[in-house]
Amino acid sequence: MKKTILTSLLVLGGLSAKAQSYVGFLTDNYSGVHSLIANPANITDSRFKTDINIVGASTFFSNDYYGLKLGDVVTSDFDFDTDGKKYPKDSNNFFGNADVLGPSFMFNLTPTSSLAIFTRGRVGYNVNKINGNTFESLSNDFDENDDLMIDEDDVYLTANAWAEVGVTYARVLMNKDQHFLKGGLSLKYLQGMGNAYASGKNITIDYDADGTPLPGGQTTGSIESVGEVNYGHSDNIDDNFEDFEVEIVDGATGFGVDLGAVYEWRPDYANYASKDGSNSFKHQNKYKLKFALAISDIGSINYKNGTQNTYDITGTVNEDDFENEDNLEDILDNLYTQTGTGNSEKFALPTAMHLNVDYSLNKSFYLNLNTDFSLRSNSKVNTNRIPTMVSLTPRFESKWFSFYMPISLTQGSGAQWGAGFRAGPLYIGSGSVMTLLLSDNSKAADVYAGLKIPVYQGKPKDRDGDGIINKKDDCPDEFGPAENNGCPWPDTDGDEVLDKDDKCPEEAGEVLNDGCPIVDSDGDDVMDEDDKCPNEFGPAENNGCPWPDSDGDSVLDKDDECPNEVGTVTNNGCPEAPEVTEEVQKQLNDYAKTILFNSGKASIKAESTSVMVDIIGILKEYPDAKFNVEGHTDSVGSETTNQKLSESRATSVKEFLVEKGIDSSRLTAIGYGESKPIATNINKAGRAQNRRVEINLVK
């Protein structure tokens, strides 16, 4: 009874879902054609001319229920049931895979693109959300006379084997200074080799050890169960989950896709570019920091001839009837109610996202951070998924040898420490070997090994050391610039100016004259190369050109203070200013004497504004002439008072004229008080004439 129930619950537990493969090895820049597994973009701009994989295999197992110490296993008395450590939970998970990379190869199509063709066989299983307490109950010292209660709720089990034939294309998308980007795509034809899956919904089983009476007073156990069971399989399983045979299944095909991109930051990019502009250092890693993102295993396999049955297991059966059935399928067919049948579900590939960061410490030592994240639900029928894993891998890397020690955190099974190496054509490793050797509680195990034929990129040859590789150098034994395809520039006329720079390549000349002889066509001692007017005699100060005389007044523009007005030599090329005549002087004073002031004050009366305007007009006609503004008074009042009044009135007139646009430097103001009368102060008429302002030319 115990064995039958355990077998019924595990169903596929003895089969070997896609999980991580080649842990540690895929971080190596020299993993070659294997690198397409992690990211299809990896194969271009690689360290290989070509890489041929003969055979390689990787197997992986991980769980969160059972842990052990590898050293104890090899002892003869180790009992898996009692000696291992168990961690039952309401939802335990198991993952496992076998991944075989068959004959595969990659090669470069062009300097910026590559192609790979690969074959691959894969076997894997998932047991998702199974109740670990069920295992605990069945694996402990369980007496057939004891009652047993199993509460499984929902559970999902999937196993699949398939083969892949694929092609990968990758190319460089951007190569600009320190930024480098490449992308890749893998298309895979999938051939199913066997598929089985089961799921349970709201499963409970109550075993009563003596719940069913038999004739003669005997009793047997009764099994009361509730829930729904759904299972399906490919037609090569022959209605028995335990008879899983890996073989080509007719009508079981599909397609898969892997996508990836890689960005490299190359701060020292100038060191990896030849002088002719081509990047020919494919034998070296050129990045300081690399970021890679990929999504793998997008797709499914349709087992067209597969079947799927659904059963309601609600009811009670006795133990004897249960034990008389050969396998789970017979139990379900004969003891429970079938509620549905049809074609099997498509098998969904274990779609996952992979993020990788690689840091170059120097040319040989690297530190890699990798994350694998499942994009598949753990509660979807007939679907494989990987456990989420984060790995930190330090590694030593060279052309013929690499060594790496990945440290990983795996979903459910915890921390793992592994080691691996590549030595030319051989690669061997494990992502968990150190944990298995040192820990007494290992919940994961993996190992991989393989053989390949690597053909590495060679260091480009440059015999003459001019920075242009031999195959692109037209003169591989002579040092020459990239602009002349690696050949030295000639100097035909031997004047030390190379022909490429010589404007007179067949006539010896001067270096300063671009290889041409220096001449002076107009004989002005300014050589033609510097002469802005090579055919006109002119002074050196004017770059060999004659000085102009724009206004034609015989005063050259360089000396002419009025270059656009005809003037006289004596006045530096400017027109002579007009002279103030006696008539003009008289007119000014006639106007000035009519300026009226407020009584006893210096303020000008408003009715004098028109006179002031006339005075301003005359002054503007003689812009170079200077004038004295003179104030006079009569003898009424004290002499001191009259002196101040005359000065104030003269100043008031000057300020008015300046305010209206007359340059202040042309005017001076002075007061004479009553000292210069022009009429008698005895009578009113005479005093009126003495109260005046005069504007006189300064000679």
Side-chain angles (χ1 to χ4, degrees):
M1 166 65 187
K2 170 183 171 183
K3 179 180 178 182
T4 305
I5 293 178
L6 180 60
T7 302
S8 302
L9 287 171
L10 287 177
V11 186
L12 309 174
L15 299 174
S16 171
K18 166 69 175 74
Q20 283 77 353
S21 302
Y22 306 98
V23 178
F25 177 51
L26 297 184
T27 66
D28 190 351
N29 287 302
Y30 291 89
S31 59
V33 69
H34 279 79
S35 64
L36 63 82
I37 295 175
N39 192 316
N42 283 331
I43 67 170
T44 196
D45 191 62
S46 76
R47 310 291 76 79
F48 295 87
K49 290 182 179 179
T50 186
D51 183 51
I52 303 170
N53 184 71
I54 299 174
V55 65
S58 173
T59 183
F60 178 100
F61 173 79
S62 170
N63 81 109
D64 59 1
Y65 172 77
Y66 191 86
L68 53 75
K69 184 176 182 179
L70 181 63
D72 293 343
V73 176
V74 299
T75 62
S76 58
D77 58 350
F78 183 83
D79 188 315
F80 279 89
D81 245 2
T82 60
D83 294 340
K85 295 183 178 181
K86 301 172 184 177
Y87 303 89
K89 301 186 298 184
D90 290 341
S91 179
N92 285 110
N93 299 278
F94 297 79
F95 305 89
N97 84 308
D99 189 348
V100 177
L101 187 67
S104 307
F105 65 95
M106 56 166 282
F107 60 93
N108 297 314
L109 290 172
T110 69
T112 58
S113 63
S114 299
L115 190 73
I117 297 174
F118 62 92
T119 61
R120 197 174 174 193
R122 298 163 69 178
V123 179
Y125 79 87
N126 288 119
V127 179
N128 296 333
K129 303 176 69 174
I130 195 165
N131 192 329
N133 294 302
T134 298
F135 286 103
E136 191 71 6
S137 299
L138 294 172
S139 61
N140 287 336
D141 293 334
F142 170 69
D143 192 303
E144 295 288 349
N145 296 319
D146 292 339
D147 294 343
L148 176 66
M149 181 66 180
I150 299 173
D151 185 0
E152 194 55 52
D153 199 14
D154 295 347
V155 61
Y156 300 86
L157 309 97
T158 304
N160 193 61
W162 73 99
E164 299 178 354
V165 178
V167 58
T168 300
Y169 174 76
R171 68 171 293 110
V172 175
L173 302 177
M174 179 180 68
N175 185 3
K176 185 176 181 181
D177 297 337
Q178 60 186 321
H179 304 295
F180 180 87
L181 179 66
K182 56 185 179 180
L185 168 72
S186 291
L187 298 177
K188 305 183 288 190
Y189 174 78
L190 312 175
Q191 172 61 58
M193 307 290 285
N195 176 228
Y197 63 93
S199 64
K201 185 175 182 180
N202 299 321
I203 302 295
T204 60
I205 300 173
D206 185 4
Y207 170 66
D208 185 350
D210 55 0
T212 302
L214 296 175
Q218 301 294 316
T219 61
T220 186
S222 66
I223 304 169
E224 182 179 355
S225 57
V226 176
E228 180 181 278
V229 173
N230 177 63
Y231 75 91
H233 56 80
S234 55
D235 57 356
N236 63 327
I237 294 182
D238 295 331
D239 297 330
N240 190 341
F241 280 145
E242 298 176 17
D243 297 336
F244 192 106
E245 297 181 1
V246 177
E247 61 184 16
I248 294 176
V249 180
D250 291 339
T253 59
F255 293 94
V257 176
D258 298 341
L259 302 169
V262 176
Y263 167 79
E264 295 181 5
W265 178 52
R266 300 175 171 182
D268 298 325
Y269 68 93
N271 296 332
Y272 299 105
S274 56
K275 290 184 179 179
D276 61 353
S278 66
N279 195 334
S280 56
F281 290 78
K282 289 184 176 292
H283 66 296
Q284 291 182 345
N285 293 327
K286 295 173 279 294
Y287 64 87
K288 185 67 176 177
L289 193 62
K290 177 171 71 174
F291 296 90
L293 179 66
I295 298 178
S296 63
D297 289 323
I298 304 169
S300 61
I301 299 174
N302 186 8
Y303 285 85
K304 296 180 181 178
N305 299 322
T307 58
Q308 173 178 284
N309 296 312
T310 304
Y311 288 89
D312 182 359
I313 64 168
T314 302
T316 304
V317 299
N318 70 61
E319 181 180 353
D320 287 352
D321 291 341
F322 195 95
E323 291 283 6
N324 287 335
E325 302 297 339
D326 291 334
N327 53 57
L328 173 63
E329 191 153 355
D330 289 343
I331 291 171
L332 294 172
D333 282 339
N334 298 327
L335 302 181
Y336 296 103
T337 304
Q338 182 174 336
T339 59
T341 186
N343 294 329
S344 63
E345 298 277 350
K346 287 183 178 181
F347 165 72
L349 295 180
T351 308
M353 181 172 66
H354 312 277
L355 176 63
N356 187 278
V357 181
D358 203 44
Y359 180 71
S360 173
L361 300 171
N362 55 44
K363 290 186 177 180
S364 299
F365 291 92
Y366 296 80
L367 189 62
N368 185 274
L369 178 66
N370 184 77
T371 300
D372 302 310
F373 181 77
S374 175
L375 299 180
R376 292 293 189 185
S377 169
N378 66 350
S379 58
K380 184 173 176 60
V381 173
N382 203 17
T383 299
N384 273 171
R385 60 187 292 268
I386 68 169
T388 295
M389 175 185 283
V390 179
S391 300
L392 184 67
T393 305
R395 75 180 185 278
F396 169 83
E397 177 180 296
S398 66
K399 183 176 182 179
W400 289 101
F401 179 79
S402 293
F403 178 75
Y404 27 84
M405 299 190 76
I407 301 170
S408 306
L409 285 175
T410 305
Q411 180 184 0
S413 57
Q416 309 296 324
W417 182 20
F421 71 90
R422 172 188 54 85
L426 177 67
Y427 52 94
I428 297 175
S430 167
S432 57
V433 61
M434 303 302 293
T435 305
L436 288 167
L437 293 173
L438 302 175
S439 173
D440 61 356
N441 188 26
S442 297
K443 297 180 184 177
D446 74 296
V447 64
Y448 59 85
L451 196 64
K452 59 166 57 188
I453 303 174
V455 180
Y456 301 113
Q457 296 279 2
K459 181 178 180 180
K461 296 180 180 179
D462 179 15
R463 285 199 300 271
D464 55 15
D466 57 6
I468 298 130
I469 60 176
N470 290 346
K471 66 180 182 179
K472 294 187 177 183
D473 197 332
D474 288 351
C475 303
D477 296 309
E478 293 183 87
F479 191 97
E483 309 93 88
N484 202 36
N485 297 320
C487 292
W489 291 107
D491 179 13
T492 303
D493 55 16
D495 57 5
E496 298 183 359
V497 181
L498 301 178
D499 286 1
K500 71 181 185 72
D501 302 317
D502 200 332
K503 293 182 179 178
C504 305
E506 297 183 355
E507 185 180 7
E510 298 294 332
V511 174
L512 296 177
N513 198 36
D514 297 328
C516 291
I518 296 177
V519 295
D520 179 16
S521 301
D522 55 13
D524 56 6
D525 294 330
V526 180
M527 298 303 164
D528 286 1
E529 62 171 341
D530 300 318
D531 199 332
K532 296 292 181 63
C533 304
N535 297 312
E536 292 183 86
F537 189 95
E541 309 93 273
N542 199 36
N543 299 318
C545 292
W547 292 109
D549 178 14
S550 301
D551 54 14
D553 59 3
S554 300
V555 180
L556 299 179
D557 286 0
K558 70 183 184 69
D559 302 316
D560 198 331
E561 294 180 2
C562 304
N564 296 312
E565 289 184 88
V566 177
T568 65
V569 174
T570 57
N571 201 34
N572 298 322
C574 292
E576 296 286 352
E579 293 184 3
V580 180
T581 63
E582 291 183 2
E583 290 77 14
V584 172
Q585 177 66 75
K586 180 177 182 304
Q587 186 178 18
L588 270 175
N589 281 327
D590 288 342
Y591 284 133
K593 290 176 181 178
T594 65
I595 297 173
L596 300 177
F597 297 92
N598 290 311
S599 179
K601 297 181 180 179
S603 55
I604 302 172
K605 288 186 175 182
E607 53 263 38
S608 296
T609 300
S610 60
V611 173
M612 296 297 292
V613 170
D614 291 336
I615 292 172
I616 290 169
I618 295 173
L619 295 181
K620 287 185 176 180
E621 291 181 13
Y622 303 92
D624 295 332
K626 296 182 179 181
F627 296 89
N628 279 330
V629 180
E630 301 174 357
H632 299 272
T633 65
D634 57 22
S635 60
V636 177
S638 70
E639 183 176 347
T640 300
T641 299
N642 289 334
Q643 178 63 35
K644 289 182 178 179
L645 180 61
S646 68
E647 290 175 357
S648 296
R649 287 180 172 179
T651 300
S652 180
V653 172
K654 175 186 175 182
E655 289 175 351
F656 185 97
L657 297 175
V658 170
E659 183 181 345
K660 299 302 181 180
I662 303 303
D663 191 338
S664 63
S665 64
R666 297 176 56 201
L667 300 175
T668 56
I670 188 170
Y672 289 102
E674 59 186 62
S675 64
K676 291 187 177 184
I678 58 173
T680 181
N681 285 310
I682 296 175
N683 55 51
K684 184 176 180 179
R687 288 194 297 273
Q689 292 183 56
N690 289 334
R691 294 190 301 271
R692 69 192 186 281
V693 171
E694 295 181 2
I695 299 176
N696 297 310
L697 177 68
V698 178
K699 297 181 179 180

PDB file of all heavy atoms in Angstrom, residues 1-2 137-148 207:
ATOM      1  N   MET A   1       0.823  -1.203   0.000  1.00  0.00           N
ATOM      2  CA  MET A   1       0.000   0.000   0.000  1.00  0.00           C
ATOM      3  C   MET A   1       0.863   1.262   0.000  1.00  0.00           C
ATOM      4  O   MET A   1       0.674   2.165  -0.786  1.00  0.00           O
ATOM      5  CB  MET A   1      -0.924  -0.031   1.224  1.00  0.00           C
ATOM      6  CG  MET A   1      -1.596   1.312   1.520  1.00  0.00           C
ATOM      7  SD  MET A   1      -2.721   1.817   0.233  1.00  0.00           S
ATOM      8  CE  MET A   1      -3.130   3.459   0.796  1.00  0.00           C
ATOM      9  N   LYS A   2       1.810   1.272   0.924  1.00  0.00           N
ATOM     10  CA  LYS A   2       2.681   2.439   1.037  1.00  0.00           C
ATOM     11  C   LYS A   2       3.414   2.693  -0.268  1.00  0.00           C
ATOM     12  O   LYS A   2       3.471   3.823  -0.780  1.00  0.00           O
ATOM     13  CB  LYS A   2       3.669   2.209   2.182  1.00  0.00           C
ATOM     14  CG  LYS A   2       4.788   3.220   2.274  1.00  0.00           C
ATOM     15  CD  LYS A   2       5.706   2.823   3.402  1.00  0.00           C
ATOM     16  CE  LYS A   2       6.953   3.688   3.394  1.00  0.00           C
ATOM     17  NZ  LYS A   2       7.891   3.278   4.445  1.00  0.00           N
ATOM     18  N   SER A 137       5.435  11.526   5.415  1.00  0.00           N
ATOM     19  CA  SER A 137       4.548  10.527   5.999  1.00  0.00           C
ATOM     20  C   SER A 137       4.832   9.143   5.451  1.00  0.00           C
ATOM     21  O   SER A 137       4.824   8.139   6.173  1.00  0.00           O
ATOM     22  CB  SER A 137       3.090  10.906   5.722  1.00  0.00           C
ATOM     23  OG  SER A 137       2.780  12.148   6.312  1.00  0.00           O
ATOM     24  N   LEU A 138       5.090   9.063   4.152  1.00  0.00           N
ATOM     25  CA  LEU A 138       5.282   7.763   3.515  1.00  0.00           C
ATOM     26  C   LEU A 138       6.671   7.199   3.731  1.00  0.00           C
ATOM     27  O   LEU A 138       6.874   5.989   3.708  1.00  0.00           O
ATOM     28  CB  LEU A 138       5.006   7.885   2.010  1.00  0.00           C
ATOM     29  CG  LEU A 138       3.548   8.209   1.642  1.00  0.00           C
ATOM     30  CD1 LEU A 138       3.442   8.508   0.156  1.00  0.00           C
ATOM     31  CD2 LEU A 138       2.635   7.053   2.018  1.00  0.00           C
ATOM     32  N   SER A 139       7.668   8.073   3.922  1.00  0.00           N
ATOM     33  CA  SER A 139       9.033   7.583   4.036  1.00  0.00           C
ATOM     34  C   SER A 139       9.443   7.277   5.472  1.00  0.00           C
ATOM     35  O   SER A 139      10.424   6.595   5.714  1.00  0.00           O
ATOM     36  CB  SER A 139       9.997   8.608   3.441  1.00  0.00           C
ATOM     37  OG  SER A 139       9.893   9.827   4.148  1.00  0.00           O
ATOM     38  N   ASN A 140       8.697   7.800   6.473  1.00  0.00           N
ATOM     39  CA  ASN A 140       8.985   7.461   7.856  1.00  0.00           C
ATOM     40  C   ASN A 140       8.519   6.036   8.159  1.00  0.00           C
ATOM     41  O   ASN A 140       7.954   5.338   7.298  1.00  0.00           O
ATOM     42  CB  ASN A 140       8.297   8.454   8.800  1.00  0.00           C
ATOM     43  CG  ASN A 140       8.980   9.810   8.778  1.00  0.00           C
ATOM     44  OD1 ASN A 140      10.163   9.909   8.442  1.00  0.00           O
ATOM     45  ND2 ASN A 140       8.234  10.862   9.131  1.00  0.00           N
ATOM     46  N   ASP A 141       8.736   5.604   9.338  1.00  0.00           N
ATOM     47  CA  ASP A 141       8.333   4.246   9.721  1.00  0.00           C
ATOM     48  C   ASP A 141       6.812   4.159   9.746  1.00  0.00           C
ATOM     49  O   ASP A 141       6.139   4.383  10.764  1.00  0.00           O
ATOM     50  CB  ASP A 141       8.906   3.889  11.098  1.00  0.00           C
ATOM     51  CG  ASP A 141      10.412   3.783  11.052  1.00  0.00           C
ATOM     52  OD1 ASP A 141      10.938   3.485   9.972  1.00  0.00           O
ATOM     53  OD2 ASP A 141      11.052   4.014  12.098  1.00  0.00           O
ATOM     54  N   PHE A 142       6.266   3.860   8.595  1.00  0.00           N
ATOM     55  CA  PHE A 142       4.821   3.833   8.426  1.00  0.00           C
ATOM     56  C   PHE A 142       4.333   2.395   8.524  1.00  0.00           C
ATOM     57  O   PHE A 142       4.780   1.519   7.790  1.00  0.00           O
ATOM     58  CB  PHE A 142       4.451   4.446   7.076  1.00  0.00           C
ATOM     59  CG  PHE A 142       3.002   4.262   6.683  1.00  0.00           C
ATOM     60  CD1 PHE A 142       2.012   4.938   7.382  1.00  0.00           C
ATOM     61  CD2 PHE A 142       2.638   3.423   5.650  1.00  0.00           C
ATOM     62  CE1 PHE A 142       0.679   4.776   7.027  1.00  0.00           C
ATOM     63  CE2 PHE A 142       1.311   3.269   5.300  1.00  0.00           C
ATOM     64  CZ  PHE A 142       0.335   3.944   5.982  1.00  0.00           C
ATOM     65  N   ASP A 143       3.422   2.175   9.429  1.00  0.00           N
ATOM     66  CA  ASP A 143       2.860   0.844   9.626  1.00  0.00           C
ATOM     67  C   ASP A 143       1.585   0.737   8.805  1.00  0.00           C
ATOM     68  O   ASP A 143       0.760   1.650   8.796  1.00  0.00           O
ATOM     69  CB  ASP A 143       2.564   0.639  11.117  1.00  0.00           C
ATOM     70  CG  ASP A 143       2.248  -0.833  11.428  1.00  0.00           C
ATOM     71  OD1 ASP A 143       1.295  -1.362  10.805  1.00  0.00           O
ATOM     72  OD2 ASP A 143       2.946  -1.404  12.291  1.00  0.00           O
ATOM     73  N   GLU A 144       1.425  -0.404   8.130  1.00  0.00           N
ATOM     74  CA  GLU A 144       0.240  -0.589   7.304  1.00  0.00           C
ATOM     75  C   GLU A 144      -1.051  -0.502   8.135  1.00  0.00           C
ATOM     76  O   GLU A 144      -2.126  -0.308   7.604  1.00  0.00           O
ATOM     77  CB  GLU A 144       0.295  -1.952   6.596  1.00  0.00           C
ATOM     78  CG  GLU A 144       1.436  -2.083   5.601  1.00  0.00           C
ATOM     79  CD  GLU A 144       1.213  -1.250   4.355  1.00  0.00           C
ATOM     80  OE1 GLU A 144       0.099  -0.738   4.168  1.00  0.00           O
ATOM     81  OE2 GLU A 144       2.159  -1.104   3.564  1.00  0.00           O
ATOM     82  N   ASN A 145      -0.918  -0.672   9.459  1.00  0.00           N
ATOM     83  CA  ASN A 145      -2.103  -0.612  10.315  1.00  0.00           C
ATOM     84  C   ASN A 145      -2.395   0.803  10.815  1.00  0.00           C
ATOM     85  O   ASN A 145      -3.340   1.014  11.560  1.00  0.00           O
ATOM     86  CB  ASN A 145      -1.933  -1.545  11.519  1.00  0.00           C
ATOM     87  CG  ASN A 145      -1.840  -3.004  11.086  1.00  0.00           C
ATOM     88  OD1 ASN A 145      -2.571  -3.432  10.198  1.00  0.00           O
ATOM     89  ND2 ASN A 145      -0.931  -3.753  11.715  1.00  0.00           N
ATOM     90  N   ASP A 146      -1.535   1.749  10.408  1.00  0.00           N
ATOM     91  CA  ASP A 146      -1.750   3.133  10.824  1.00  0.00           C
ATOM     92  C   ASP A 146      -2.600   3.874   9.801  1.00  0.00           C
ATOM     93  O   ASP A 146      -2.497   3.640   8.584  1.00  0.00           O
ATOM     94  CB  ASP A 146      -0.415   3.863  10.970  1.00  0.00           C
ATOM     95  CG  ASP A 146       0.389   3.320  12.130  1.00  0.00           C
ATOM     96  OD1 ASP A 146      -0.207   2.698  13.034  1.00  0.00           O
ATOM     97  OD2 ASP A 146       1.627   3.522  12.115  1.00  0.00           O
ATOM     98  N   ASP A 147      -3.425   4.778  10.295  1.00  0.00           N
ATOM     99  CA  ASP A 147      -4.190   5.643   9.395  1.00  0.00           C
ATOM    100  C   ASP A 147      -3.242   6.671   8.774  1.00  0.00           C
ATOM    101  O   ASP A 147      -2.193   6.993   9.333  1.00  0.00           O
ATOM    102  CB  ASP A 147      -5.303   6.357  10.154  1.00  0.00           C
ATOM    103  CG  ASP A 147      -6.364   5.381  10.658  1.00  0.00           C
ATOM    104  OD1 ASP A 147      -6.390   4.236  10.152  1.00  0.00           O
ATOM    105  OD2 ASP A 147      -7.136   5.776  11.551  1.00  0.00           O
ATOM    106  N   LEU A 148      -3.638   7.178   7.621  1.00  0.00           N
ATOM    107  CA  LEU A 148      -2.810   8.153   6.910  1.00  0.00           C
ATOM    108  C   LEU A 148      -3.699   9.183   6.234  1.00  0.00           C
ATOM    109  O   LEU A 148      -4.680   8.825   5.570  1.00  0.00           O
ATOM    110  CB  LEU A 148      -1.941   7.452   5.852  1.00  0.00           C
ATOM    111  CG  LEU A 148      -1.091   8.358   4.949  1.00  0.00           C
ATOM    112  CD1 LEU A 148      -0.023   9.062   5.774  1.00  0.00           C
ATOM    113  CD2 LEU A 148      -0.445   7.532   3.839  1.00  0.00           C
ATOM    114  N   TYR A 207      -6.628   7.572   4.343  1.00  0.00           N
ATOM    115  CA  TYR A 207      -6.503   6.108   4.445  1.00  0.00           C
ATOM    116  C   TYR A 207      -6.868   5.667   5.860  1.00  0.00           C
ATOM    117  O   TYR A 207      -6.223   6.079   6.831  1.00  0.00           O
ATOM    118  CB  TYR A 207      -5.066   5.693   4.098  1.00  0.00           C
ATOM    119  CG  TYR A 207      -4.775   4.229   4.400  1.00  0.00           C
ATOM    120  CD1 TYR A 207      -5.416   3.224   3.684  1.00  0.00           C
ATOM    121  CD2 TYR A 207      -3.868   3.890   5.392  1.00  0.00           C
ATOM    122  CE1 TYR A 207      -5.138   1.886   3.952  1.00  0.00           C
ATOM    123  CE2 TYR A 207      -3.586   2.545   5.677  1.00  0.00           C
ATOM    124  CZ  TYR A 207      -4.222   1.546   4.955  1.00  0.00           C
ATOM    125  OH  TYR A 207      -3.950   0.232   5.236  1.00  0.00           O
TER     126      TYR A 207
END
